[in-house]
Amino acid sequence: MIVFFLLIAVTIPFVCIASNKIKNKHIVFDHEIVFSIGYLYYWILPMLVGILIDDDVNEGTVQFWYSFFSRLGEGQKEIFLLICMLFYCAYMLGSRAAIVGHIHHIKNEGKREINDIDLGYTFLTMLILPAFFYVAWKIQPYLFGGYTAGWGDNAWWETKGMLATLLLVSFAIYYMYTLRHWNYSKSVFKNLQNRYAILYLTCSIMMLSTGGRLYFMTTVISLIVFYGVYLQKLTIKKMAIVAIMGLTFAGMIGIVRQAQSESGDVWLAIGANIILEPALTSISSMTFIQSNDLPILADVKYPLSLFINLLPSFLFRDLRNEISVDLETEYDIESPLGALSSFVSWIGYFGILGSLAGLFIFGFLLSILKNRTDSTSHVIYGMLCGATMFTFFRDQFNISLIKIMIQDSVLAPLFIFIIIKCTNKIFGYKR
């Protein structure tokens, strides 16, 4: 029976994609695609791996993971897959409910829109430079030291979190400038080359040197979404090449950061690292479904505790501490390596029905953003899609949903847009 559930769970996204996203050997790389990839990679793949591997596996990390998988009963596996399918369908229904007719830009149509003066972008870059230099000074001892160089050090994790925010904010500035100055008569690479890429790439190199691949990959996915949705559809061949290169790069960073070379075969180690990423994340969902009663609706204080994190801590520290809810203390969950499956976060914070409603709304809003014609919506849409594929599925919601998606991918671009508009109005703009 579990094989039947797995087959259905895998078939649903492929049918959705094939029926709507692939035409004439081209694919629209949008929010439905990135969510489908995250769903298959983080939710379904671990279950498939667990069923396929032998009980007598003796490789250290795999054996550790399998010890959790083997405790799940058949009924629990089926419930997990059923809920995953319902969640996926809710998201897709929300997305399709909002479709009116997606916009398509035509290449070589001239400038994308008004060519802003650079003062606003320069001001914003100068505004975050002091924070960049502070973070660079704090993180300098750990650069090129791998993922575990500062493991167990709270100051290290705080500094890395600040670097992640700087990376995404500097990317938002660069992204906004690039989209608003896009010239369809130039090549993609020419359009991507501008001075505001310097800070973004510097933050990216620093983050990669510490073994953090997630947020850099998030920005890359954002750029691919912009290209694949608003410029031209990707051919299936190009999409396959990009996917292989991306997975290889992510796997290589994973090997370097954990010094995983014991297998002696680099390609085997890369493949193992790619599979172990969602497998180890799934430990939290397996222990969650095994040891807890899944709430139909969560107490209102649970989602409230998430969104209260948007308030600045230096002004509302006591309120945030009073309302804050940690799922790992409220439920019996194990996440030995820190990653928390979005399956846990959705049900833990919203309950099953609340999650279905939330995913429907999430898909609906992304589809609305995709259909808008202004560059700010495109920046927000691209960054949300980038965050959806990876961090949304494997980071705690107080980080992925609140910090990365709402704060860095929605509020930051809106603030950037306001500053750009103000400087254009005060100092004039060139056409």
Side-chain angles (χ1 to χ4, degrees):
M1 192 66 174
I2 188 65
V3 175
F4 173 76
F5 273 78
L6 260 176
L7 182 63
I8 298 300
V10 171
T11 301
I12 289 174
F14 280 101
V15 170
C16 289
I17 292 169
S19 65
N20 193 262
K21 300 300 169 185
I22 299 178
K23 293 181 180 178
N24 300 322
K25 297 183 179 179
H26 287 71
I27 188 166
V28 181
F29 192 79
D30 63 1
H31 62 285
E32 294 186 6
I33 297 292
V34 297
F35 189 86
S36 298
I37 293 172
Y39 158 84
L40 289 168
Y41 185 57
Y42 281 101
W43 288 355
I44 307 304
L45 181 60
M47 192 66 61
L48 180 62
V49 171
I51 290 172
L52 291 178
I53 64 175
D54 296 329
D55 292 345
D56 58 351
V57 61
N58 54 15
E59 198 281 327
T61 308
V62 178
Q63 185 180 45
F64 170 73
W65 172 80
Y66 192 78
S67 66
F68 291 95
F69 179 82
S70 60
R71 300 175 200 166
L72 282 177
E74 290 297 302
Q76 292 171 333
K77 295 173 187 175
E78 291 167 3
I79 289 172
F80 171 79
L81 290 172
L82 179 61
I83 293 174
C84 287
M85 288 186 278
L86 289 173
F87 283 0
Y88 179 84
C89 291
Y91 176 87
M92 295 299 288
L93 285 172
S95 176
R96 301 290 170 89
I99 291 178
V100 184
H102 288 317
I103 62 170
H104 296 286
H105 288 284
I106 302 173
K107 295 185 71 175
N108 302 319
E109 65 181 18
K111 292 291 183 183
R112 180 177 174 81
E113 55 181 70
I114 290 175
N115 195 5
D116 308 307
I117 61 174
D118 289 357
L119 181 61
Y121 300 97
T122 303
F123 168 73
L124 289 164
T125 302
M126 297 299 292
L127 194 65
I128 63 175
L129 271 181
F132 167 77
F133 288 124
Y134 171 76
V135 171
W137 171 67
K138 292 282 287 184
I139 210 168
Q140 184 271 331
Y142 306 106
L143 295 179
F144 301 97
Y147 190 68
T148 59
W151 197 274
D153 186 347
N154 289 334
W156 149 250
W157 288 108
E158 290 177 7
T159 306
K160 196 169 181 180
M162 293 174 64
L163 178 59
T165 298
L166 280 171
L167 168 59
L168 292 173
V169 172
S170 62
F171 174 73
I173 296 170
Y174 163 68
Y175 200 14
M176 182 77 76
Y177 181 89
T178 301
L179 265 63
R180 288 177 67 85
H181 291 74
W182 196 273
N183 190 327
Y184 291 87
S185 64
K186 294 181 180 180
S187 69
V188 172
F189 290 106
K190 284 286 186 183
N191 275 293
L192 293 177
Q193 294 173 23
N194 60 68
R195 74 191 75 171
Y196 300 103
I198 297 173
L199 183 58
Y200 154 61
L201 291 175
T202 303
C203 290
S204 297
I205 292 170
M206 290 170 61
M207 180 62 77
L208 288 170
S209 77
T210 64
R213 56 192 172 177
L214 188 65
Y215 301 116
F216 174 71
M217 294 299 293
T218 292
T219 61
V220 172
I221 296 299
S222 299
L223 291 171
I224 296 174
V225 166
F226 167 68
Y227 181 84
V229 172
Y230 301 113
L231 294 183
Q232 64 181 41
K233 296 177 183 178
L234 294 167
T235 64
I236 295 176
K237 181 180 178 180
K238 283 184 180 179
M239 192 66 252
I241 292 171
V242 169
I244 292 170
M245 291 176 61
L247 287 172
T248 302
F249 174 78
M252 290 178 66
I253 294 295
I255 293 171
V256 171
R257 77 180 190 174
Q258 296 177 8
Q260 287 182 308
S261 58
E262 64 268 15
S263 67
D265 187 327
V266 173
W267 291 106
L268 184 60
I270 289 174
N273 189 270
I274 291 170
I275 293 174
L276 283 172
E277 158 70 16
L280 294 174
T281 300
S282 71
I283 291 176
S284 57
S285 60
M286 290 188 293
T287 54
F288 178 68
I289 202 167
Q290 180 186 22
S291 305
N292 302 275
D293 293 326
L294 305 185
I296 301 300
L297 278 173
D299 191 300
V300 68
K301 72 175 183 180
Y302 284 66
L304 181 62
S305 74
L306 277 176
F307 294 100
I308 206 73
N309 285 315
L310 290 170
L311 298 176
S313 58
F314 66 93
L315 291 176
F316 300 94
R317 186 178 302 277
D318 292 339
L319 177 62
R320 285 177 53 166
N321 290 338
E322 181 181 346
I323 297 179
S324 178
V325 171
D326 184 356
L327 291 184
E328 295 190 55
T329 60
E330 297 293 322
Y331 295 95
D332 188 1
I333 306 169
E334 292 185 51
S335 54
L337 297 181
L340 189 71
S341 171
S342 57
F343 179 89
V344 177
S345 295
W346 273 115
I347 297 179
Y349 282 114
F350 300 98
I352 294 174
L353 290 181
S355 299
L356 290 171
L359 282 160
F360 181 92
I361 293 169
F362 185 38
F364 185 89
L365 292 178
L366 282 175
S367 203
I368 292 293
L369 277 173
K370 178 183 174 182
N371 280 298
R372 293 180 61 85
T373 58
D374 59 290
S375 58
T376 306
S377 294
H378 293 176
V379 170
I380 293 172
Y381 175 75
M383 292 187 70
L384 287 175
C385 286
T388 297
M389 186 179 289
F390 296 114
T391 185
F392 176 74
F393 276 91
R394 53 95 61 204
D395 276 347
Q396 299 183 42
F397 268 16
N398 63 328
I399 296 174
S400 63
L401 183 61
I402 302 303
K403 297 294 183 183
I404 305 303
M405 301 184 85
I406 296 180
Q407 175 183 286
D408 298 337
S409 300
V410 177
L411 297 181
L414 286 174
F415 176 75
I416 292 168
F417 174 73
I418 291 171
I419 295 297
I420 299 306
K421 279 296 186 183
C422 287
T423 53
N424 283 345
K425 188 170 184 178
I426 295 171
F427 298 98
Y429 55 82
K430 51 187 178 183
R431 293 185 182 273

